[in-house]
DNA sequence: TCAAAAGTGTTCCATCTACACCCATGT
DNA sequence: ACATGGGTGTAGATGGAACACTTTTGA
């Protein structure tokens, strides 16, 4: 630590903030992308975002940009994902990018500009920069958190039936989730509760489905210390 | 996304890279801190790190700085923790900081400069900036990963007895970990294996302890999908 | 009365904790 | 011998997966 200049003369670098905005759309986990109109990576798809304003925080900045640029104001959850700073990641010179993960509940359909579109997260179009890798990070993060947090609240509408919820989980996790067991797991953990209401059955009959809601619509870890728990004493 | 200037004219901001370097020392989880000699936060303790070089990646930069400035070259593991960019976090103007978590195995005692020292992570001295909060993030990350990854490899020496390992886990987790069960859990997960060697018992007698090693000394998730597993089919 | 969809009960299994007991060694 | 620390066996608890069965509705 001899070099005391390090404390004040930090280097300047371009900095942008990006978002992996995910939503379950038509039973698929989808990500909001923007199509570039000019080089580099002309006509490739990239993550929404842009430069960091001079007096705003990182989370604040991405919220502002999503609202202003792609009209997404209904994020139920937003968390920081990772920062990429590889010297070669941007052809026009050193640019750091801090990526966020944002989740939009399935009942919302934001109005988005013509040059943006939702794409299946499992079948991405040609993407610019390192943004495809960032989307994969976001997907992995979501999948992991579905198993030990209540993050499902940010995918589901305020009220839902168990079979709807199991379809959201299936879309996000990529494998079947039995509604019957999901119900018990989430009830036992206290994540969800019955609203008391129910939904009339459709044309084809069937028992009316009870409506549920998440008890807390803010990220909580509900299954900490899956192993190596502290002693019960 | 009408504002296409966003793609090229990203703002410039000071950027530094910091590290929460943790090691088990005398049965306590400890963090390497540097004592500031000048304002702001004179005589407070801060995380080691400094400005990002113009042509280096983030991880590359923190490795270089730890090697050059505090002579720490033996990180068994390094991962990105979080980026802080609050406008008010640095009194001298906007500074972004990307923090890493680094782990040093317990058998190593790096030579460190006089103005740096190891402090118990659970009993931090007065710290500058938002660095105390970053240390807590690092601790939380380590604790969480101990329960679903093989990250113990980065705390333990290359070979160890189970009672030694359980003491490392206890120091990191903050609660007792029974060596007998830890052995079975880690063996079942395939994280550790016997070397075949054993350690002669000490003056006070006792059965010689078998030596173990981690099978892989690189981060792996060994307990994925603790719940909501994919169907077994 | 039958099909369809939701919900319940029950069994099975994997995995972790706790704790008693056994083993190998030094004095 | 016996104290000391390591290692094994085992019982209990937990929690999730699977699946058959029951309930409630529409046609």
């Amino acid at each position: 630590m001899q070099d005391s200049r390090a404390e004040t003369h930090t280097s300047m670098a371009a900095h942008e903030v990006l978002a992996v905005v995910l939503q379950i759309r038509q039973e698929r986990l989808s990500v909001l992308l923007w199509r570039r109109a000019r080089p580099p990576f002309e006509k490739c798809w990239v993550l929404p975002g842009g430069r960091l304003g001079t007096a705003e925080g990182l989370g604040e900045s991405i919220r502002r940009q999503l609202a202003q640029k792609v009209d997404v104001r209904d994020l139920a959850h937003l968390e920081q994902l990772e920062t990429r700073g590889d010297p070669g990641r941007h052809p026009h010179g050193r640019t750091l990018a801090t990526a966020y993960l944002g989740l939009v509940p399935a009942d919302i359909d934001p109005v988005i500009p013509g040059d943006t579109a939702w794409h299946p997260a499992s079948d991405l179009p040609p993407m610019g920069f390192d943004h495809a890798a960032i989307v994969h990070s976001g997907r992995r993060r979501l999948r992991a958190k579905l198993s030990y947090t209540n993050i499902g609240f940010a995918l589901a509408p305020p009220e839902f039936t168990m079979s709807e919820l199991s379809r959201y989980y299936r879309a996000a996790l990529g494998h079947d989730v039995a509604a019957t067991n999901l119900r018990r797991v989430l009830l036992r953990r206290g994540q969800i509760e019955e609203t008391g209401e129910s939904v009339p059955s459709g044309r084809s009959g069937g028992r009316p489905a009870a409506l549920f809601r998440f008890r807390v619509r803010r990220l909580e870890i509900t299954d900490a210390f899956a192993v190596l728990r502290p002693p019960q004493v």
Side-chain angles (χ1 to χ4, degrees), chain A:
Chain A
M1 277 299 168
Q2 293 80 351
D3 183 5
S4 59
R5 286 169 304 171
E7 69 190 79
T8 47
H9 302 171
T10 51
S11 72
M12 306 294 275
H15 200 102
E16 59 183 1
V17 188
L18 304 171
V20 178
V21 178
L22 298 177
Q23 184 185 30
I24 313 286
R25 299 176 69 86
Q26 286 113 39
E27 315 272 305
R28 309 193 65 171
L29 184 66
S30 307
V31 58
L32 183 63
L33 299 178
W34 170 52
R35 190 154 185 269
R36 283 180 67 88
R38 63 185 61 191
F41 299 106
E42 186 177 356
K43 294 183 183 165
C44 282
W45 295 84
V46 294
L47 293 171
R51 69 177 180 195
L52 179 62
T54 48
E56 60 187 358
L58 292 164
E60 196 182 339
S61 177
I62 192 63
R63 274 192 194 275
R64 173 184 62 78
Q65 302 197 44
L66 290 175
Q68 288 179 359
K69 298 184 179 176
V70 292
D71 215 50
V72 172
R73 296 183 162 75
D74 309 289
L75 294 173
H77 177 68
L78 183 70
E79 67 177 50
Q80 191 178 298
L81 199 50
E82 63 187 18
T83 298
R84 300 216 169 208
D86 210 65
R89 65 176 293 277
H90 197 301
H92 286 182
R94 180 56 173 276
T95 306
L96 299 176
T98 296
Y100 277 75
L101 170 64
L103 300 177
V104 177
D107 60 324
I108 291 175
D109 193 10
V111 180
I112 58 174
D115 52 359
T116 64
W118 295 94
H119 293 263
S122 56
D123 184 20
L124 295 173
M127 292 188 66
F129 309 101
D130 47 7
H131 291 196
I134 297 175
V135 173
H136 285 116
S137 293
R139 242 181 117 190
R140 269 198 307 277
R141 176 78 62 93
L142 173 61
R143 278 205 288 238
K145 289 209 165 175
L146 275 172
S147 85
Y148 68 92
T149 72
N150 65 342
I151 204 169
F153 79 86
L155 297 177
E159 303 196 341
F160 47 84
T161 67
M162 286 315 299
S163 58
E164 284 164 17
L165 189 63
S166 74
R167 286 195 294 273
Y168 301 139
Y169 271 70
R170 178 176 55 197
L173 291 172
H175 62 77
D176 271 6
V177 176
T180 173
N181 289 329
L182 184 63
R183 171 203 183 97
R184 264 182 296 217
V185 169
L186 298 188
L187 278 173
R188 170 163 31 196
R189 293 184 179 177
Q191 284 192 26
I192 60 173
E193 65 190 357
E194 287 195 64
T195 67
E197 310 283 304
S198 63
V199 168
S201 43
R203 300 125 203 85
S204 56
R207 178 168 169 174
L211 280 174
F212 291 81
R213 70 169 82 90
F214 278 89
R215 290 163 65 103
V216 175
R217 295 181 60 80
R218 188 186 70 247
L219 191 67
E220 289 187 336
I221 294 175
T222 58
D223 200 36
F225 295 113
V227 292
L228 306 178
R229 298 183 187 82
Q232 300 308 304
V233 195

